[in-house]
Structures are given as structure tokens and as C-alpha cells.
Amino acid sequence: MLHIKISPGSDVPIFRQIVDQVRVAVASEKIATGDSLPSVRALASDLVVNPNTIVRAYSELTKDGVIESQRGRGFFVAKRRDVFTKRERHRRILALVQPLVAEAKTLGFSDEELLELIQEQLLTLTPVSEPNA
Amino acid sequence: MLHIKISPGSDVPIFRQIVDQVRVAVASEKIATGDSLPSVRALASDLVVNPNTIVRAYSELTKDGVIESQRGRGFFVAKRRDVFTKRERHRRILALVQPLVAEAKTLGFSDEELLELIQEQLLTLTPVSEPNA
Amino acid sequence: MLHIKISPGSDVPIFRQIVDQVRVAVASEKIATGDSLPSVRALASDLVVNPNTIVRAYSELTKDGVIESQRGRGFFVAKRRDVFTKRERHRRILALVQPLVAEAKTLGFSDEELLELIQEQLLTLTPVSEPNA
Amino acid sequence: MLHIKISPGSDVPIFRQIVDQVRVAVASEKIATGDSLPSVRALASDLVVNPNTIVRAYSELTKDGVIESQRGRGFFVAKRRDVFTKRERHRRILALVQPLVAEAKTLGFSDEELLELIQEQLLTLTPVSEPNA
DNA sequence: GTGGTCTAGACCACG
DNA sequence: GTGGTCTAGACCACG
């Protein structure tokens, strides 16, 4: 079951917090292809935010091919497919990596410390699947 | 010599593009403690942006202790110093790491690919010092 | 309720007068964690200054961790947290203490008089809490 | 003998740094009534600053009654006299005390820590006179 | 010439 | 409606 939490005080827009959490839930296989997402109204009421904010988040996820709407039924996790070219994926990730590395250097993090931090974050997102043989 | 380029069309604000590039230039020791930066007006005219945009970038860098102004003379790379508490540094870096990792997952990067990308970026920032063979 | 007054004729910049008054209001607990500040536009119109001047004041307070913005909702008093290293805090406070002491000497204040004045000011900022007798 | 040092990198204007140091030197009796100050040109060349900067500093000190010029001979420490009314002195010192106290609170200094810091600074300025009877 | 402050006003992002 | 970014341009302080 998908559980979304937001920090209204963060400087990350609420719609983006939602987008990121759905992405992570899908990537870490907490929700699987075909699973349903909360309805726009339900989630809006749950998070106490404007329904338009949910619409915006869902619509970005739809554009990126992560979820898809079924008219009248709601939103569902889409079958995984590659949306962007290799070049585009690279471009998008570099746009985040570069400022991160620059800021890390300014803040005085060593290369090792930064890599460890990333590792940590990656672990929190690793599917809980238990790949038993 | 510091060479700054901006993409006015990007969704990254111009002042932030400038901040990031100066950070990188300092971190990679392309410019060193005491070196001067382009004057506010010169850089503004060079990049064809409003001087206030440069003021904003320089002022953020000043608050973070990366550069400092000398009234009537211009801005200079500051002696490196730690400004923020460990906790604050952690807070600031996490704010960048979390969305990066989420986006990487969505884009389909494996943990290894992401870590390699970071490694690469870190290398491009490593001071070229050690001029002896 | 926060009540800000400015002297446009003073040689202290308007944005700094605002910053100082918000700091004092927070320190003396006239406004508490989570309380909202006047909106940028409302305060600008109230003080008859340009909204950018308010933006500048609020943005300095945000960088120092005193307040934080919630996109679309406004600014709020932040939960207290330490942002700067001990060394940096010392650096910042000394930058104010030294000129103060120098000026005090010139004006002919004795050490005792100066300390008393500071004491007095500290008292005006002491939270009025303890509502029980 | 008066020994003035400046930090061009400080955000305190150079002329003000000079003013403060002369004030302190007089207050701490390192230089006494009738002692001469370095000539404008000598000091400018010594500090590697524009002579106008020295002129500005000396002229502020003259206005405040700390030094006085003797046409063709140079500047000398003036006989101590009160220039400002009690009310004016109070106004001037409060203008420095208030922001200091506000900033100290923001930075998390306790009342005791702040008072100690001031004490320390006062001690560095105390006349070395040894008032033996 | 350098940066610092402020105004006036536009347009955008978010909710 | 909220804040965020940017332009255009003025005037001041400092050196």
C-alpha cells in the first residue's frame, strides 16, 4: 500500500514531493504494475492539499510513463517502459548531479563522504523483495 | 581565468547557474584564494543579464563564505572556512541527494551507474595540482 | 502579533531594520515557531516600501534559519536550529562587538555603563513566559 | 606610537576601521592629548590606501572632537571633551547595542556568553596605565 | 570605478 | 493569493 507523506515547510514543491515518492515506490517495488493509486480527491483530502496539486503530480507521472489513467476508474502503475533516450536520461541526471557535487565541495564533504551518503539513500530505496533463490 | 556560461532558457535560475559554476571553479581550484572575480557590471554585460542578477549570485556565495567583497575593489575568492554545523551541512546535502536518487530510480539508472556518474563528476572537480611527475 | 516599524531616513538599510526586528520578535518570543509573518505584499504596502525590500529581508532571515517559506502560503517562524559552526558564530558576533566597544569608549561610556546597557537590552528580549505566579 | 592595521577584506569600510582604531588608541591611552598622528600621506602610503580614505577618517574624528588639525603641522589628539549630550550618546550606543543583541540571540548565544565576550573585548582596550598612587 | 540599496514593474510557479 | 526571478534604472557609499 502506498503511503505518501509531505512536508509543507520544505522548499521542494508539494507536487514534486508526491511525484518523487510515487517514483520511489514504483522503483523500489512497493507498488507494482497494475496497482491502483489513491484517487485525486482521496489523496488531496488525506494530505490536506488542493486537489489541483495532486492532479499536477499525477499528470507529470503520466507524462513520464510511470502511471496511467483509466478514464472513470483512476490511476494505475504502468508497465515499466523506457521513455527517454539514453542521451536524455544522461542529460537529466547530470542536471542534478552537477549542482550536488558543487555544493558538496563547498560544504566540505570529501568524495568518500558524499558517496556514502548516496549509498545510504539508495539503500533506503532498495526493493524489500528478498531475492531468495 | 574564470569562464562563466549560462543557458537563459534553462529552468535553473540564472543566478543559480552562476553560483554553481563559481562553486565548481573554486572547488576544482581553477580559481584560488585571493583571486578576483569579474566585476558585477562586467559580468552582467558579458552575460547580457541584469547586474542585479549577478549581485544576487555573488551575495549567495558571500553568505556561504565562498567569496568576499572588498568595498570599492570587487569580489575575491575567500580563504576556505567552515561556516555550517555538521547537522546543517547534512540537512543541505540531503535536500539535494534525495531528489537526485529518486529521479535516478525513475530514469532507470542502477545504483552502480549512478555512483559511477558521481565519481566521474567528482573527478572533473579534482584539483589538477601535483604538477610534478 | 508582529508589529514592524521602520525609519526610512536612517542610515541603517530598511531591509536590515526589518531583519533586526523580526530577530528580536522571535528571540523575545513575541512570535513563536509556526506563526506566520505578514505576506511580502502586505508588509510592503503597510510600510510603504517596495516588495523587493521585504523579499530581501525575508530571504536573509530564511538563510539564517530564522523563518522559512511555504510556497504559496507565506513565511513562518522556523523551528529553532543551529546553523553556524562555533567559529562562524564567534566571527559574526565579534564583527558587531568590536565596533560597539570602540564606539562606546569614544562616547565616554565606562565598562560598567556599557554592560548595564546590554543587560537592559537583554532583559527587554527575555521571553515573558512563566505565566504562573 | 600609534600602529594601525586594516583588513581590506572586511565588510567594515577601511575609513571606519581607521576611525575605530584611533578611537580605541585614545580611549585606551596608547596615545595621549597632544600626541601627533601620522600625516595623511604617510599613513596612506603605509596602509597602501587612497589618501582620501585617510582624510575621511581624520575628518570624522575631528568632527567628533577626538583629534584636531593644526594647519600646516598635522593632526593631534585633542583634549578630551564631551561633544554629545547624554541623550545623543545614548541614542548612538543603542543603535549598535540593539542589532548586536538581536543577532546574538539568533546565533544562540546565552546572555552570559554575550556579556563575557564584551568583557573580553573591553579588557583588550583597557589602558595599560597601572594607576599606581 | 567598485559594490550596496531601493524602486517600479513584469512574468512565472505553486496551490 | 502566495512567493521567486528578472529587468531597467536610480542614487548612494567607498576608494
Side-chain angles (χ1 to χ4, degrees), chain C residues 2-3 13 20 27 36 41 54 62-63 65 69 74 80 86 88 99 101-102 108 112 116 119 123:
Chain C
L2 184 58
H3 200 70
D20 285 342
S36 71
R41 284 165 171 94
I54 312 296
T62 301
K63 285 212 180 102
S69 83
R80 213 212 167 287
K86 199 176 166 183
E88 180 71 8
V101 168
E112 291 69 32
E116 254 172 64
Q119 288 269 28
L123 281 177

Side-chain angles (χ1 to χ4, degrees), chain A residues 11 44 47 70 81-82 96 107 116:
Chain A
D11 56 346
L47 301 179
Q70 296 182 14
R81 68 176 204 276
D82 285 334
L96 294 176
L107 289 174
E116 256 173 60

Side-chain angles (χ1 to χ4, degrees), chain A residues 27 36 39 49 51 61 67 79 84 92 94 98 109 112:
Chain A
S36 72
S39 80
V49 301
L61 288 161
I67 66 179
K79 185 151 172 302
F84 302 111
R92 288 187 174 221
L94 260 197
Q98 280 176 338
F109 286 98
E112 291 71 30

